[in-house]
Amino acid sequence: MNLVNLQEAANFFIIGFLELSVLFLGVSLLVEIINVFMNPEKVKSLLSSKKSGYMIASSLGAMTPFCSCSTVPLTMGLLKSKAGFGPIMTFLFTSPLLNPIIIVVFYVSFGFEITFIYALTAFTMSLLAGYTLEKFGFEKYIKTNDDETSSCGLSDNSCNTIKVSTFTTVKNQPTSCCTSNIESDKSSEPISSQIKTKVFNKQILLKTWKQFMDFVPYIAIGIGIGAFVHGFVPEEVIVKYAGADNIFAVPFSALIGVPLYIRAETMVGLAPELIDKGVNMGSILALTIAGAGASLPEMIMLKKIFKLPIMLFFVLAVFTMATGCGYIVNLYFV
């Protein structure tokens, strides 16, 4: 075992684990804070609309600068809201692949044509994938958690008229998950103080930490496998099988992109070096989409909330998206 490779794998694991942990904690905390203030029925209505639900979800995904793994806690929050399943899945596909940062970086690095093909493919396939999952009833393959559904939160449909924080006790009111007493909003405290009380609440922090600890093993396993691939799979192998002369270079690149756990922005820095060594642009985009859209750490984390049929469809959809975009780009540039 090469000591240099071992060191590279270890560095990848440490940096990746820390980065992903911080992202997961940050997004989870943000979701919990949002849950305190948002109206669950409003969210449900927006994302369940047959006319605009998918477009809203896709646009939301395109505006959130998250990697695939940090999208998971936000997806969990949307699932708890009982919003439309198809739009939620559309968000899950879109979020790691499209955001303003990626678009700007792609435009500067690759030009308008490639950026347009990439964005159009990711956007269209995400909408199609979400619609297909809902159309064929894949919602039944969501894992249920009795503790989650019985506790107060967006999953509690009896909280339709909630006006106060889930975790805030209202003076002279019993501590309850839900309340329909609209007058409870009329506190003598200033609004800024009420907001501060809701946001800086110990229960929110505890719930965020508990959710993170539940996912730590999944994060560690996924990053560990990615670190092994990163440290011990020779770059020459990737270049050999992803070269311009190989007709299967695009699907091969999509396959090896899954365990690498890469962000789309990361590939931009690697692209010039790979192109100089003979890797075609289509393979680079396939590697980018597969690695960013269905990374192994993300799949391991999603296994906690989805059953096998959704997982298989998810991987197949991202693989199809990656290969399709790759071949389109190669045809365009030939």
Side-chain angles (χ1 to χ4, degrees), residues 292-312:
S295 66
L296 191 57
E298 178 194 18
M299 299 309 299
I300 292 174
M301 293 165 68
L302 286 176
K303 185 67 173 66
K304 186 173 173 61
I305 56 178
F306 293 138
K307 296 180 182 179
L308 185 60
I310 293 181
M311 304 295 294
L312 293 177

Side-chain angles (χ1 to χ4, degrees), residues 26-180:
V27 175
S28 296
L29 179 60
L30 177 62
V31 170
E32 292 300 328
I33 292 174
I34 292 174
N35 284 349
V36 171
F37 295 98
M38 72 165 50
N39 185 326
E41 286 304 303
K42 183 66 173 178
V43 174
K44 181 179 179 180
S45 175
L46 287 174
L47 292 184
S48 298
S49 171
K50 294 184 180 298
K51 293 182 178 180
S52 59
Y54 287 92
M55 292 301 296
I56 291 174
S58 191
S59 299
L60 176 63
M63 291 187 294
T64 52
F66 301 142
C67 68
S68 57
C69 295
S70 56
T71 301
V72 174
L74 192 50
T75 301
M76 292 172 63
L78 292 173
L79 288 171
K80 291 178 185 179
S81 74
K82 301 295 184 181
F85 174 66
I88 292 174
M89 296 307 294
T90 294
F91 166 81
L92 182 61
F93 281 101
T94 308
S95 182
L97 295 174
L98 282 178
N99 65 60
I101 298 174
I102 292 176
I103 296 301
V104 170
V105 172
F106 261 62
Y107 177 77
V108 173
S109 302
F110 303 136
F112 173 77
E113 292 84 359
I114 289 181
T115 302
F116 179 77
I117 293 173
Y118 171 82
L120 182 62
T121 302
F123 191 83
T124 303
M125 291 296 291
S126 295
L127 287 171
L128 182 61
Y131 177 79
T132 302
L133 281 166
E134 181 160 324
K135 188 71 174 178
F136 287 92
F138 276 75
E139 186 173 4
K140 62 186 176 184
Y141 298 116
I142 299 175
K143 291 183 178 179
T144 57
N145 187 321
D146 293 336
D147 292 335
E148 286 292 335
T149 55
S150 63
S151 63
C152 184
L154 292 177
S155 59
D156 193 340
N157 289 329
S158 65
C159 297
N160 293 345
T161 55
I162 186 169
K163 292 294 181 179
V164 294
S165 167
T166 298
F167 310 107
T168 303
T169 303
V170 182
K171 188 176 181 180
N172 298 326
Q173 290 287 341
T175 303
S176 172
C177 172
C178 307
T179 176
S180 59

Side-chain angles (χ1 to χ4, degrees), residues 230 262 265-276 284 287:
H230 179 82
I262 52 177
E265 299 94 325
T266 304
M267 279 307 302
V268 174
L270 298 176
E273 179 182 351
L274 293 176
I275 291 175
D276 289 342
I284 291 174
L287 183 67

